[in-house]
Amino acid sequence: MTAQVWRTDFAPTTAELNACVACGLCLPHCPTFRLTGLETASPRGRLAAMRGVAEGVIAIDDEFEEAMSFCLNCRACEAVCPSMVPFGRAMEGARAEVAAAHPTVGRGLRHFVLGRVIPNRGIVGVATDLIKLLQKLGPSLLREGPAQRSLRGLRGLQARPRRAQIVNGPRVGLLVGCVMDKWFGNVNQAAIELLDLAGYQVVTPASQTCCGALAVHDGNIKSGRRLAAANVAAFASADVVVATAAGCSAHLKGYDKLNSEGAALAAKTLDITELIARLIAEGALPRLPVTGEAVVVHDPCHLRHAQRITSAPREILAAAGLATVDADPDGICCGAAGIYSLTHPEASHQLGERIAALAASAATTTLIASANPGCEMQLRSHLPKGYRVAHPVELYLESIRSSSDHVLL
Amino acid sequence: MYDELIAALDAERVLQTPLALHVYGRDAGVYRGQPAVVVLPETTAEVVRVVEIANRHEVPVVARGAGTGLAAGAVATEGGIVLVTTKMNRIEEIDPDNRTALVGPGVINLDLSKAAEPYALHFAPDPSSQAACTIGGNVANNSGGPHCLAEGSTVNHVLALEVVLADGSVAMVGSAAPDPIGLDLRGLLVGSEGTLAIVTKILVRLLPNPPDVRTLLCSFDSIADAAATVSGIIAAGIVPAALEMMDQAITRAVENWLHAGLPTDATAILLAEVVGDTAAVEAEAKVMAEVAHAHHARDVRMAADDSERALLWKGRKAAFGAVAQAAPNYYLHDTVVPRTRLVETMAKVYEIGARHELQMLNVFHAGDGNLHPLMVFDASVPGMTEKVQQAADELVAACVAVGGVLSGEHGIGREKRDLMPLMFSATDLDAQARIKETFDPHNRFNPGKVLPTGARCFDLGASVPPGAWV
Amino acid sequence: MSIRAARTEVASRALLGEGVETLHPSSIDEMAETLAEATAKKRHTLIWGGGTHQGIGYRVDPDLVIFTDHLARVIDWEPDDLTVVVEGGVKIADLEALLATRGQTAVLPEDPGGGTVGGMMAAGVSGFRRARYGPTRDRILEVQAVTGDGRIVKGGGRVVKNVTGYDLPRVVVGSFGSLGVIVSCCLKLWPTPRSTATLTIEPGRLVDVHRPLAVLSDRSSTKIYLGGTEAEVGNQVTRLGGETQNELVWPAVPYRTWAFSLRVPPQTAAGLIAGMPADADFIHQVGIGEITIAAPSSDGMAMLRSKAEAVGGALIVTRAADDGFDPWGTPPPTLDLQRKLIAAFDPQRVINPGRLPGRI
């Protein structure tokens, strides 16, 4: 295998590509293979294509780019791969190569938005005001399509949540996230209050920034590294770092692949559901009596596949007194996948319809829990009116608040 | 030809780009072959059209399911058409009363059992790749799996096939009724690796889920003790639902990935499962444990519940994939030996590995005597591939020498076709070649697979009257 | 003549007709020589095992009858492998008696009369216990056959699982010699259940029984055959109730001048039985879809056949009093392919010519 064909230091490595023995066990778990039946739209096929490039028999052309960009990067294949191929890493490498080989105006713009605009809180703030206005005017202004669905998927935006009271305890750094804080503020607020309650000292350093997942998934490694470096510095003094979006926590845990300095932050990162479930298990947070109400649990790919976390959200919801029902035992991606709904609206929509139908038929309840904002939006935009989609920690905090045994706040 | 194919299907389902041809150029084995075009038909009528176009242009057609085969059965013929069945993946009917299902060839094996679950039925063949492999592929290779020990391979569960023959005609063989009259062509078509016809619909038998199950995990300090336990269980009059062995190297690779609590310090582990009435499985599990202990098992543990049982099977079925952790390449065989010759054959297998200084791993269907000796290596080391090939040839010869066969469930494909004379005389192979010729006179379907070149001999001796067949 | 096979003036000459030669080859090579010569001389040849299934198919007027009674050795029996290799002329009853000495069975027909292993294979018949162990063709692992033109062809292997080349053993089952005379075969064996029972319950009663050895039903009763461990059989007997015998008591099909085998999808069987002539006796293998019928005439059978064929089944004659009723019915749609395949094995069409459906 010749290394010369690759342009970046982030390219798929020989070891990563060699790890695949082409057994095909990933195929049925891949949403895009399920949709198309195409080998080129399967993890094995994509790795074969990457290997073809490494061997010099496949060019990094439009077809290769589309083969890479059609991937949701849900990493469902990774979880079932007995050879433990780091597929998500290799895919990010391949996309970095595509970006380096084909600098186009469109991608340049996307890189700018994902690398500069979204991480900028000021701009996100202005955008949020605009969206509020749109929501008020009503989505009817937009034609039926991905944009309209996205708008429908957003929560009704509310006032900015209050910050935590700081107590003396282990220092937990909260990654507030680029959109999480503005658009899903209740989730961060719930996390802060729960950690407070458990005796943690929650810090939200002002110098933190977007985790960089969207940029890196789009092949924008330069921005990804810049954002990672900023977060490494911002959270240097934290004992533990948590993120309330599964996509962010998964990406933080992979910082060691981006920068050598990223390893420490990667090692001390937890998804919020992991930490809260642990605190419940330790008795630092309460288990509430059973309410008799059910909740359908949706597993975000970046929780279930990328981090192999499935029990934590269920334990949290059980502690909230709710009976959990699985939305999709197969764990197929909902189609949100970052900006995928914009780049591949049709595939995204099909997967969205699928998961919405499963979630709606799983139980009689209209309450659905999902631990990632993208998935939450995707679910909401594909479910009929009347469904509520919320983060498990939010639901848990609500149960605590409404429980007469625990007057806390 | 491309234009005709597009007219027959549609542009989206006819692939001809370099990337598509590259990724469809191999299956899960080591061989490669670049096709000229890849087609993904959705209906029998479309398959017929593809075969007609292939006939007009005199190009070969290689049928392919999920591409999980290990013997290069679905590897493309250079310049030919690869016909992919993944879009023919409808479960058309599940008939719980007659316990049958009518499926397209692209239906994934495990999806069928999942669909039959509400009726407490399942499709018995469960190859390790069952989460990915297609029923059409199972039919082509007469696939087995751990649970075919008691229930038999795919052929025992196929009632009828709709096939497209080499002349483009559609034929139905078999039915839901037992013992069709005339020649039972199902028997020839199942396991024919796509060389006789292209299967477009399959009527399969479903089995009722067993009322109860017991799964034992026995660990041993020696391969010989584990192998002797296998023979002992069979000799004790028990035919378990499954009886699987994994050696230490495989166990460690699987455990590293799965964390199922497999005993990584044991030299060999045996996974034994019995199904049936509660009283029966309890009694049989007890006997199996006694046999294991009599052969110096260091530990015999019973899966406590369904989730532990599922975990153990997941580990067993992912074993091939897990070996990539040891080295970038692997090569394996699929020989079957009489169960009474298991102990000596295993010793021979490891001896061959040691002599060639190759790491030899074993994970296999011990109850059937179906070995999967597997060598891991790095093909980039000069001379390594030749060394592996040499060891592999010795392995096969050793298995055939004790009355074994070349393949139990993976098929012959391109990979083992030249080994066929080890088992069969020229007359035997000639008879096989005549079968191929009868079905496919122009060698259109999957040429170069199963039979060695020159299998058809026209001068077999004086006992045959000249000109008797032409 | 170069043939060394013993020649006998069989007592049944009157039955077979004048000028019919009879041979008893005592080795596979002799069988090959015999058939090569038959092909050279285009002699219509009938293969005779136990004669128990000669009533099936179109009538063959032979010039030569080859008996397999001198090819009747048990070649290899590996009890611990659960396999046995026998010559085609071995009598089913003899083989099962031998296997029973080590608690094993080849699951061959329960009431074989003088039938041979090779004959049963060629005729493609199975025993009642197929409900548990599958039909005969699921248990033949290797076959050695002598083709019509005298070639000795082997297919399969002496192991329980095999996909090495085309599955010749399977297609030979039920081929009535058209692909070759079965001179030897390897069979998969099963341990005999440690405990057995036969339950008799009223006909038509629905019961939930897991993997019985067989469920047989006739006009007067339904019999459930159980096999397994003592506790397993005991539990099922207690649960199901009914009159119990602690052994397997197989029914004998009553003798009539006509006999038929009706083969239909299992769930359609009951409906077809309802339309059966009142003077016909039958044994219905419940869950299998095979109904063995004995009747004084073929009256009403044409109607039954058309119903069976409409659901993908068949009604075949297994014993006929005259030629007035077609023995097979509508031939399968792949007739042309079948004819070509047979030509590849028996180019002069000497073994049982024209006996199969479609007179091929």
Side-chain angles (χ1 to χ4, degrees), chain C residues 179-198:
Chain C
L179 302 178
V181 179
I182 298 168
V183 286
S184 83
C185 62
C186 176
L187 298 172
K188 183 175 173 175
L189 305 177
W190 286 83
T192 317
R194 273 161 284 179
S195 174
T196 54
T198 306

Side-chain angles (χ1 to χ4, degrees), chain C:
Chain C
M1 272 189 71
S2 63
I3 295 169
R4 299 183 301 271
R7 289 156 199 277
T8 53
E9 301 295 315
V10 284
S12 55
R13 166 150 293 184
L15 180 78
L16 294 167
E18 281 303 317
V20 177
E21 189 178 9
T22 56
L23 292 170
H24 299 252
S26 58
S27 74
I28 291 167
D29 286 338
E30 272 184 25
M31 180 69 86
E33 285 172 45
T34 306
L35 282 164
E37 191 174 306
T39 284
K41 296 180 176 171
K42 295 193 184 182
R43 302 178 83 189
H44 287 186
T45 306
L46 191 67
I47 312 296
W48 196 282
T52 52
H53 295 102
Q54 293 293 359
I56 304 177
Y58 293 106
R59 184 189 292 271
V60 176
D61 289 320
D63 306 314
L64 169 68
V65 179
I66 299 177
F67 289 82
T68 60
D69 56 341
H70 289 192
L71 280 170
R73 286 161 287 241
V74 174
I75 297 169
D76 191 14
W77 178 27
E78 290 287 351
D80 291 352
D81 272 338
L82 286 170
T83 57
V84 69
V85 183
V86 296
E87 288 186 331
V90 165
K91 292 218 180 301
I92 292 169
D94 294 348
L95 176 61
E96 289 286 26
L98 172 70
L99 297 173
T101 61
R102 290 285 300 270
Q104 300 188 346
T105 173
V107 205
L108 300 174
E110 290 77 10
D111 182 15
T116 61
V117 172
M120 177 211 52
M121 290 284 168
V125 296
S126 298
F128 296 131
R129 288 167 292 167
R130 68 184 296 173
R132 168 82 69 89
Y133 303 106
T136 295
R137 50 169 56 90
D138 284 359
R139 278 173 281 105
I140 179 166
L141 304 173
E142 182 190 67
V143 73
Q144 201 172 21
V146 177
T147 63
D149 53 6
R151 287 170 286 142
I152 302 166
V153 172
K154 188 188 80 169
R158 295 181 185 182
V159 293
V160 292
K161 187 178 178 191
N162 185 7
V163 56
T164 310
Y166 302 128
D167 199 343
L168 199 58
R170 267 189 172 268
V171 73
V172 159
V173 173
S175 69
F176 286 91
S178 60
L179 302 178
V181 179
I182 298 168
V183 286
S184 83
C185 62
C186 176
L187 298 172
K188 183 175 173 175
L189 305 177
W190 286 83
T192 317
R194 273 161 284 179
S195 174
T196 54
T198 306
L199 297 186
T200 305
I201 61 172
E202 59 273 29
R205 185 183 138 197
L206 287 173
V207 292
D208 176 29
V209 48
H210 184 74
R211 310 298 304 271
L213 294 174
V215 178
L216 304 181
S217 184
D218 60 21
R219 287 197 193 278
S220 59
S221 69
T222 295
K223 286 188 160 59
I224 300 171
Y225 297 83
L226 300 170
T229 61
E230 287 80 0
E232 179 185 14
V233 172
N235 287 350
Q236 297 230 57
V237 166
T238 311
R239 191 167 56 80
L240 298 168
E243 182 196 323
T244 308
Q245 289 160 288
N246 292 322
E247 58 188 330
L248 301 175
V249 188
W250 300 108
V253 189
Y255 183 87
R256 298 279 192 284
T257 49
W258 285 84
F260 307 89
S261 169
L262 177 64
R263 300 156 182 186
V264 292
Q267 292 307 308
T268 63
L272 287 168
I273 288 169
M276 201 178 298
D279 56 0
D281 289 304
F282 68 87
I283 296 171
H284 171 205
Q285 297 184 47
V286 180
I288 301 296
E290 182 170 357
I291 300 148
T292 309
I293 303 169
S297 73
S298 60
D299 294 351
M301 292 302 159
M303 172 69 84
L304 205 52
R305 170 176 283 165
S306 69
K307 284 183 190 164
E309 289 181 354
V311 293
L315 180 133
I316 72 165
V317 177
T318 54
R319 182 170 54 244
D322 56 56
D323 289 341
F325 185 66
D326 190 277
W328 292 109
T330 309
T334 51
L335 204 58
D336 186 47
L337 193 57
Q338 302 204 8
R339 187 182 290 114
K340 285 185 195 156
L341 192 62
I342 290 171
F345 286 81
D346 184 358
Q348 295 298 322
R349 204 58 196 97
V350 295
I351 302 178
N352 278 334
R355 184 166 177 179
L356 288 169
R359 298 186 188 274
I360 58 174

Side-chain angles (χ1 to χ4, degrees), chain A residues 4-87:
Chain A
Q4 283 78 359
V5 294
W6 300 121
R7 290 173 170 79
T8 73
D9 65 350
F10 206 61
T13 66
T14 304
E16 284 165 357
L17 298 180
N18 269 350
C20 175
V21 294
C23 69
L25 287 180
C26 53
L27 265 60
H29 301 276
C30 174
T32 54
F33 178 76
R34 279 287 196 181
L35 283 181
T36 64
L38 287 168
E39 184 75 17
T40 44
S42 76
R44 179 177 66 177
R46 289 172 179 132
L47 287 165
M50 293 179 208
R51 205 166 352 191
V53 172
E55 288 165 358
V57 295
I58 295 292
I60 302 183
D61 55 8
D62 289 351
E63 193 193 10
F64 182 80
E65 178 178 351
E66 178 49 26
M68 297 304 120
S69 98
F70 191 46
C71 171
L72 295 142
N73 217 355
C74 68
R75 295 167 69 182
C77 51
E78 261 185 44
V80 297
C81 176
S83 298
M84 304 195 286
V85 175
F87 181 86

